[in-house]
Amino acid sequence: MLWADHLARDRRRSVHTVRAYRAAAERLTAFLIGHWGEAIDRAALARVTATDLRAYLAQRRESGLGNASAARELSAVRGFLAWANEAAEQPRMRGPRVKTGVPRPISPAEAVALAEEVADDAAEPWIGARDWAVLMLLYGAGLRIGEALTLRGDILPLGEAIRVTGKRAKTRVVPLLPQVRTAIEAYVAQTPWPIARDEPLFRGAKGGALSPVMIRRGVQAARARLGLGDRTTPHALRHSFATHLLGRGADLRALQELLGHASLSSTQVYTQVDAAHLMDVYRNAHPRA
């Protein structure tokens, strides 16, 4: 689809974003074929109205789509319509109201315990070392899971920092704590697969690129054994990294760079997290609370 090519080549969107936006465009097109009873081309897409979009979202909601997902779907199809016919005026429609969620970090002890539990439950020692290294990158360096799993062998040998490619192909330099560096080196020493400079650093059991699904499954099983909540996901480790740094006096702008946020507003959510944490401490510890 030309739309997907445009997103990947011209907009430099990630593989995951391209896949999701392409799927949304295909769903909209299929809906319009049934809705209007005719073939859909670019000229037809220029006739889409807010009423058509409301009907489309209503159909999507019948399949259980929530507000946040509906808002993303609307954003995707609006982008598709704008690309399909730049000269046409876009239908005006207010998106679903989405309540901004405040990330829920876990404590340093819980983060380490979670990583240890995942590693200890691994089928083989080298897989345990791999999982420990991945989770330490999330908690100790603030990487997204996708960023950790797209690291390649060219980061070796490790120095005091690594270059990470984040969303929209934006690169940033991330410092490595000694513990994180040690975890990666321990994995590299144990993996049975040779690591070439242009190949993935983290491998699956059969030697292919490690899937994030495997890490998520490991975390899901470990959090149940540890009695941690459902929000304790791999991404929660990144939240915890940010919150703990902020709580220890990290500058918000510096934290923005470390996390790879394009906008400071994305980073400012952690000030709410830290305030919430302080209130929890106050309520639990203050004798007059």
Side-chain angles (χ1 to χ4, degrees):
M1 178 183 272
L2 295 177
W3 164 235
D5 293 340
H6 164 72
L7 289 172
R9 183 186 62 250
D10 303 327
R11 300 295 300 279
R12 302 178 66 188
R13 295 301 180 98
S14 71
V15 173
H16 303 293
T17 298
V18 171
R19 185 184 302 120
Y21 276 39
R22 174 174 180 164
E26 290 173 345
R27 285 191 294 267
L28 176 66
T29 303
F31 167 80
L32 291 173
I33 290 172
H35 189 56
W36 288 345
E38 61 182 71
I40 302 300
D41 55 16
R42 283 197 169 192
L45 290 173
R47 305 199 314 267
V48 173
T49 66
T51 301
D52 296 321
L53 289 183
R54 277 193 287 270
Y56 169 67
L57 287 183
Q59 183 192 74
R60 294 285 291 131
R61 283 184 177 281
E62 289 177 0
S63 63
L65 203 68
N67 275 4
S69 297
R72 287 193 295 269
E73 186 89 358
L74 181 59
S75 175
V77 298
R78 275 175 168 164
F80 172 57
L81 293 173
W83 167 83
N85 200 319
E86 296 179 359
E89 183 178 354
Q90 296 305 305
R92 297 186 179 185
M93 176 180 170
R94 187 184 298 274
R97 296 186 66 179
V98 180
K99 184 178 179 181
T100 302
V102 177
R104 293 188 179 179
I106 58 178
S107 70
E110 288 172 333
V112 173
L114 180 70
E116 287 178 340
E117 186 70 19
V118 173
D120 290 345
D121 194 48
E124 297 181 44
W126 78 268
I127 294 178
R130 177 201 70 192
D131 293 351
W132 171 261
V134 171
L135 295 176
M136 283 298 97
L137 277 167
L138 272 54
Y139 177 62
L143 269 61
R144 302 175 177 93
I145 187 169
E147 293 171 345
L149 298 189
T150 53
L151 292 175
R152 295 187 173 274
D154 58 6
I155 71 167
L156 302 174
L158 296 173
E160 294 186 351
I162 56 173
R163 185 170 294 277
V164 175
T165 301
K167 290 185 175 180
R168 301 188 183 184
K170 181 181 178 181
T171 62
R172 67 186 189 276
V173 175
V174 177
L176 288 182
L177 293 171
Q179 298 92 325
V180 178
R181 190 161 57 245
T182 298
I184 297 173
E185 290 171 345
Y187 156 70
V188 171
Q190 295 180 56
T191 179
W193 309 104
I195 300 175
R197 290 182 58 82
D198 60 346
E199 293 183 351
L201 176 65
F202 295 109
R203 305 295 189 84
K206 296 183 179 180
L210 177 61
S211 168
V213 172
M214 303 308 296
I215 299 297
R216 293 191 181 103
R217 284 178 182 171
V219 168
Q220 184 176 8
R223 77 187 181 207
R225 294 192 296 269
L226 294 173
L228 298 174
D230 291 345
R231 289 198 180 187
T232 305
T233 62
H235 204 64
L237 294 175
R238 174 174 153 92
H239 289 322
S240 301
F241 163 85
T243 306
H244 298 160
L245 280 184
L246 191 63
R248 289 178 173 266
D251 176 76
L252 203 59
R253 287 286 183 185
L255 187 57
Q256 177 188 1
E257 290 298 320
L258 286 173
L259 293 172
H261 286 161
S263 169
L264 187 62
S265 62
S266 299
T267 314
Q268 286 173 332
V269 68
Y270 293 104
T271 61
Q272 301 175 46
V273 174
D274 195 54
H277 173 68
L278 289 175
M279 287 303 297
D280 286 342
V281 171
Y282 173 81
R283 293 191 187 100
N284 293 329
H286 197 284
R288 307 288 292 189

